[in-house]
Amino acid sequence: MKTRYRASFVAVVTLVVAGPVLGLAASAFASTNTYTRTPYQTGRANAGTPNSTNVVKNSSGTVVSYGNSAITYTAPSPSLATLGQSLFLENCASCHGTAANGVPANGTSGAFPNLVGLGPATIDFWIESGRMPAADPRAVQANRRVPRLSHSQALAIAAWVNSLSPSYPDIPSPNLASANVSDGAALFALNCAACHTIEGDGDALAAGTFAPSLRNIPAYQVVEAIRTGPGNMPRFTGNLSDFQVADIVKYVTTEIQHPQNPGGFGLGGLGPVAEGFVGLLLGVGLLALVGFWVGERQ
Amino acid sequence: MSQIINTKRGRREQSGPYGKLGHALNELDDRMGVAKGGRTFLDKIFPDHWSFMLGEIALYSFVVLLATGIFLTLYYVPSQDLTTYTGSYLPLYGQKVTEAFASTVNLSFAVRAGLLMRQMHHWSCDIFIGAIVVHMGRVFFTGAFRKPRETNWVIGTTLLILAIVNGFLGYSLPDDLVSGTGIRIAYSIILSIPVVGSYVAFFLFGGNFPGTSILPRFFILHVLIIPLIILSLVGAHMVLLVRQKHTQFPGKGKTENNVVGTPMYPVFMAKTTGFMFVVAGATALLGAFAQINPIWQFGPYTASRISYAVQPDWYMGFLDGALRIFPAWSFHSFGYTIPLEVTIPAVIFPGILFNLVMAWPTIERKFTKDNEMHNLLDRPSNRPKRTSAGVAVAVLCSMLFIASSTDVIANFFHLSLNTVLWSMRILCIVMPVLAYPVTYKICREMQGFAGAGKRKTANIVTRTAEGEYVATPAPAYVDDLVHEHELEAVPVPTYVVDVDDEVSSGEGGVRRVPR
């Protein structure tokens, strides 16, 4: 009786102590496994991950492209990786390090992001929007400018960085034919306008950061930004499907970039600030001048 | 047998020397005695100075506001019921919007001249309040508010407040994303009023924000109640103006006891009618060529959505700026939140400001102990303390106005928003304090400067035979040589009868009548 009691006691204690240890070890093992294999941010279908309608694999089973009727994500060709490495060493390694892990070369100071595992779309966005190579590495936020590297060079660098630790999302190519601009407008107001403003002009955020203007951004880069979340921008994955992203992109590339301006000159999208100046200077000012002309001046 | 004259001239002669209109007026006078009041009105003397036209910009903008506003009420639906937008603007097609928003977009796109009317209404509002402020500045800096005109000063200030409030209400009516945010802020400001805030807010909104009754209530306030109050106060402003007669700048023949100027008919009536059409025309040009408040781009308001970079119309700017830059002082004790960060800039500050403005004539009298009647205006530099105080307050309001666009400034000049915010905090305190002594010094300098306030004459540049250029000022304008020419009597216009010749003399149609 006493022994049996002891045996059960020992069993319970062993389970209580060992269980969490085993569980933690198992989950750690499982999570490392998950990380290397599928670093998705969402399990939702058709949201920028290979969990999509159309998945194309090559003979060795690697995903070449995935997506759906709204957006197709294509991986950069692995054959570009060698070229990509030399381009990376030339243009990026002085800050991001020769292994793209954010450890800079000797003689360079500062903390630079680790690029390993970020996915081709991130690399492509930063290079093709001209933000990288950075004009001023110490700036709070890089400005959009004319890209230093060509489209194929950006793809090559993305291919090499991706070869270090394959990841997603791949480089998107939206098909806006069946996208709904009205849904896009509503989604834009809900998800984007809080920083980029409802007219898409962008605005200053805290401490030197800013939401850039959306007036001159190609469609695929809008998708890249939404899916990868550059800088301060949140990464929109689970809450927006590819179809919704296409709606937003259509709204941005049509109504934001080419607004219909019935009612005269759009006053720079600055809203009541510009309107106030026009109303006071042109309106009141002009009328006061007429009054000055009509009335006596002595 | 009476002779029947059936020729054009004969018929005209039959209806008297002033034609059919004169005949009709005679009939009216026989019954209602309009001639006496009409004579007083037509004979009212308007001293002529360009700065006296500023108030008229406001008056005629109000006329434009009423006309365009009536047009807009024909199409606007004051309802927050949801409907599906099925109009011509594709980016909104199929969205669930309120009736108010849908009707405003429809009146912009589907009604002939609807957008023009809406834009004219909005521009006219901006001009209306701008003109009120400029007119108020003129009255303040020239001391026109002094006894006996304190009442009219208070009426004018009330008109400014009502105009700002009504502008805000009208701005809110389309129920777009930007104006909805404005109502949200207004709700929070009302909530921050100590003790009664939540009760007042719930009473006004019929419950919690946003509710479904605020737009219909705003509509009634905007198109009926406040315009009626404004209209009657404008009437009172005018009646007092006629009753107390105009002020005038000191000049030849102008004393505290007379009014020198042109009569209403015909000179001033021609000027002012023309000016009305210029105001309406300028507003129409702005409405036609400058886009204002493109609500279709903003989309409908829902409480879950927000746009960054939202500013109110310019006349609310100084309040928005005060809200933006005020430190986040908020206390929680005994289960209550005391949101000083909102109460001080949005309730207490405007309260103090407008009370100060209203009480200014009294305050100034306390200081100057001046209880005399004043019909002659001051030159601002001759009253340096008043001028400096006014400039300081104007500078404070301008700084707060600039502070309402901190984000736009930061974005435009690539500055840190935090830097801009702190700069504005410092500038709002430093600039008014600096403005007072600087203005005071300038005023004192101008007092000692001979010829200040006179028109500058052109320089006559001559070339000598040696090729040297010499600039000499042209002689002063005849009008400016006050003491050299006395007033000459001019014949009294033929339509004026029973006017004593001794007092009705003047020059170039200028007459003097006893006050």
Side-chain angles (χ1 to χ4, degrees):
Chain A
M1 186 66 188
K2 210 176 182 181
T3 356
R4 214 179 295 158
Y5 174 74
R6 264 193 201 149
S8 57
F9 181 75
V10 167
V12 167
V13 168
T14 315
L15 270 177
V16 166
V17 174
V21 176
L22 278 175
L24 273 176
S27 67
F29 183 73
S31 69
T32 42
N33 256 5
T34 324
Y35 177 69
T36 49
R37 289 183 60 193
T38 49
Y40 309 157
Q41 289 81 39
T42 177
R44 180 175 179 171
N46 289 315
T49 69
N51 182 12
S52 295
T53 312
N54 310 325
V55 181
V56 179
K57 295 180 177 176
N58 64 11
S59 51
S60 58
T62 315
V63 174
V64 175
S65 76
Y66 58 90
N68 41 61
S69 61
I71 303 175
T72 304
Y73 297 85
T74 315
S77 165
S79 61
L80 291 168
T82 325
L83 170 65
Q85 184 177 16
S86 56
L87 283 169
F88 187 91
L89 294 176
E90 237 170 66
N91 295 290
C92 324
S94 62
C95 294
H96 291 286
T98 48
N101 57 2
V103 179
N106 285 338
T108 320
S109 61
F112 299 100
N114 179 0
L115 305 179
V116 175
L118 285 183
T122 308
I123 311 297
D124 183 65
F125 176 82
W126 283 88
I127 297 174
E128 293 219 38
S129 67
R131 291 186 170 84
M132 291 291 145
D136 176 8
R138 286 156 303 180
V140 178
Q141 186 173 336
N143 271 311
R144 182 180 195 89
R145 56 192 179 130
V146 178
R148 291 300 173 88
L149 300 169
S150 71
H151 175 62
S152 50
Q153 285 173 323
L155 286 184
I157 293 175
W160 179 69
V161 174
N162 195 41
S163 72
L164 303 175
S165 169
S167 181
Y168 303 100
D170 287 333
I171 290 152
S173 146
N175 171 21
L176 303 179
S178 56
N180 183 329
V181 74
S182 172
D183 288 350
L187 288 164
F188 185 88
L190 189 60
N191 293 289
C192 318
C195 292
H196 289 285
T197 80
I198 192 67
E199 294 190 325
D201 286 303
D203 206 356
L205 304 171
T209 59
F210 58 91
S213 164
L214 305 177
R215 299 271 191 198
N216 53 354
I217 301 186
Y220 79 97
Q221 286 184 19
V222 180
V223 182
E224 285 179 337
I226 293 172
R227 286 299 185 213
T228 65
N232 279 327
M233 184 168 156
R235 182 166 47 200
F236 293 88
T237 49
N239 64 336
L240 290 177
S241 75
D242 282 336
F243 305 97
Q244 290 173 315
V245 170
D247 292 345
I248 294 177
V249 172
K250 183 156 188 176
Y251 181 69
V252 170
T253 51
T254 54
E255 298 302 325
I256 294 280
Q257 298 186 350
H258 308 283
Q260 307 171 23
N261 267 340
F265 300 107
L267 297 176
L270 289 172
V273 176
E275 288 165 6
F277 274 107
V278 170
L280 290 181
L281 294 181
L282 265 181
V284 180
L286 195 83
L287 291 171
L289 274 182
V290 174
F292 190 70
W293 172 55
V294 170
E296 190 58 50
R297 302 167 290 275
Q298 50 176 285
Chain B
M1 267 196 59
S2 61
Q3 196 185 355
I4 299 169
I5 312 157
N6 202 14
T7 59
K8 228 177 186 177
R9 174 180 291 179
R11 282 199 301 275
R12 205 159 49 212
E13 276 172 359
Q14 235 179 3
S15 57
Y18 296 105
K20 276 188 179 154
L21 181 67
H23 182 70
L25 285 174
N26 267 337
E27 296 286 324
L28 210 57
D29 185 42
D30 288 348
R31 286 162 183 78
M32 297 173 197
V34 295
K36 192 159 182 275
R39 162 59 35 78
T40 316
F41 175 68
L42 292 180
D43 278 355
K44 176 171 167 46
I45 299 297
F46 286 84
D48 203 353
H49 191 263
W50 68 269
S51 67
F52 298 167
M53 308 297 278
L54 296 173
E56 289 184 28
I57 302 177
L59 180 67
Y60 295 133
S61 292
F62 187 60
V63 174
V64 176
L65 276 173
L66 286 181
T68 52
I70 289 168
F71 181 92
L72 295 178
T73 55
L74 301 179
Y75 301 98
Y76 176 76
V77 182
S79 159
Q80 280 172 287
D81 294 341
L82 284 180
T83 180
T84 306
Y85 177 77
T86 52
S88 60
Y89 186 68
L90 276 184
L92 290 172
Y93 192 89
Q95 286 196 38
K96 287 269 184 228
V97 299
T98 56
E99 295 268 14
F101 182 79
S103 63
T104 315
V105 175
N106 278 335
L107 85 82
S108 304
F109 290 151
V111 174
R112 196 174 294 272
L115 184 57
L116 176 70
M117 287 293 169
R118 196 170 76 78
Q119 297 203 140
M120 274 180 73
H121 194 68
H122 204 141
W123 280 123
S124 191
C125 168
D126 278 8
I127 293 172
F128 177 51
I129 303 178
I132 292 179
V133 170
V134 178
H135 170 61
M136 206 171 163
R138 198 282 292 173
V139 168
F140 179 85
F141 289 114
T142 58
F145 57 83
R146 290 171 302 171
K147 189 179 174 182
R149 296 183 178 79
E150 299 98 326
T151 321
N152 236 8
W153 170 261
V154 172
I155 290 176
T157 314
T158 314
L159 277 171
L160 172 65
I161 296 169
L162 287 175
I164 291 176
V165 168
N166 217 27
F168 172 76
L169 296 179
Y171 182 74
S172 304
L173 287 181
D175 200 26
D176 58 278
L177 188 63
V178 178
S179 72
T181 311
I183 304 180
R184 182 66 172 115
I185 296 171
Y187 181 79
S188 308
I189 290 172
I190 297 170
L191 272 187
S192 82
I193 299 171
V195 186
V196 296
S198 43
Y199 301 99
V200 173
F202 265 57
F203 170 70
L204 187 64
F205 281 70
N208 208 338
F209 178 85
T212 53
S213 48
I214 191 61
L215 284 188
R217 289 179 182 188
F218 273 12
F219 181 69
I220 294 297
L221 282 170
H222 178 76
V223 306
L224 184 67
I225 298 172
I226 296 185
L228 268 185
I229 302 175
I230 292 182
L231 199 60
S232 36
L233 283 182
V234 166
H237 205 66
M238 299 285 113
V239 166
L240 272 179
L241 172 95
V242 174
R243 181 99 189 90
Q244 297 176 331
K245 299 193 174 66
H246 267 80
T247 52
Q248 58 195 358
F249 278 104
K252 56 179 174 179
K254 298 172 180 175
T255 71
E256 291 280 8
N257 301 315
N258 66 7
V259 193
V260 179
T262 49
M264 180 71 183
Y265 183 82
V267 181
F268 193 75
M269 193 174 268
K271 273 189 183 182
T272 195
T273 312
F275 200 51
M276 178 175 80
F277 288 117
V278 171
V279 170
T283 314
L285 281 178
L286 277 175
F289 293 111
Q291 187 189 63
I292 188 164
N293 203 20
I295 54 155
W296 51 89
Q297 285 178 17
F298 303 155
Y301 180 71
T302 50
S304 61
R305 296 178 188 171
I306 185 100
S307 168
Y308 195 31
V310 170
Q311 286 89 21
D313 268 359
W314 78 265
Y315 44 84
M316 299 285 289
F318 73 107
L319 289 175
D320 186 60
L323 260 179
R324 280 186 187 216
I325 63 171
F326 203 79
W329 295 344
S330 168
F331 301 100
H332 308 270
S333 45
F334 303 110
Y336 292 99
T337 302
I338 300 155
L340 294 179
E341 58 198 337
V342 181
T343 314
I344 293 178
V347 179
I348 297 176
F349 164 69
I352 292 177
L353 181 72
F354 284 118
N355 274 304
L356 187 73
V357 171
M358 287 223 186
W360 180 264
T362 319
I363 296 171
E364 190 181 291
R365 217 169 43 224
K366 281 268 184 299
F367 278 108
T368 57
K369 310 256 188 307
D370 176 6
N371 218 19
E372 298 296 309
M373 298 282 250
H374 289 284
N375 295 315
L376 284 182
L377 295 172
D378 292 327
R379 253 166 39 80
S381 59
N382 289 341
R383 295 283 178 274
K385 283 182 181 165
R386 177 207 294 150
T387 304
S388 308
V391 168
V393 171
V395 165
L396 173 65
C397 289
S398 311
M399 286 296 128
L400 291 174
F401 173 65
I402 294 171
S404 74
S405 46
T406 42
D407 56 326
V408 176
I409 295 169
N411 196 45
F412 194 79
F413 295 106
H414 298 287
L415 296 167
S416 164
L417 184 61
N418 307 40
T419 313
V420 177
L421 186 77
W422 269 102
S423 311
M424 291 318 301
R425 280 176 180 170
I426 295 166
L427 285 174
C428 279
I429 296 168
V430 169
M431 292 299 279
V433 174
L434 267 181
Y436 189 95
V438 168
T439 313
Y440 190 84
K441 187 72 186 156
I442 292 173
C443 286
R444 296 309 292 262
E445 289 288 321
M446 280 178 75
Q447 282 174 18
F449 183 75
K454 294 276 181 291
R455 281 177 292 184
K456 303 273 180 299
T457 53
N459 272 350
I460 298 170
V461 180
T462 42
R463 185 173 183 267
T464 61
E466 288 78 32
E468 186 188 2
Y469 288 94
V470 181
T472 42
Y477 292 101
V478 179
D479 292 354
D480 294 344
L481 304 172
V482 177
H483 303 295
E484 293 182 16
H485 297 261
E486 284 305 314
L487 286 180
E488 286 171 32
V490 296
V492 175
T494 52
Y495 63 87
V496 177
V497 289
D498 292 341
V499 174
D500 193 351
D501 274 344
E502 281 179 22
V503 289
S504 62
S505 56
E507 179 188 341
V510 174
R511 290 189 300 116
R512 280 187 290 167
V513 293
R515 196 177 279 280

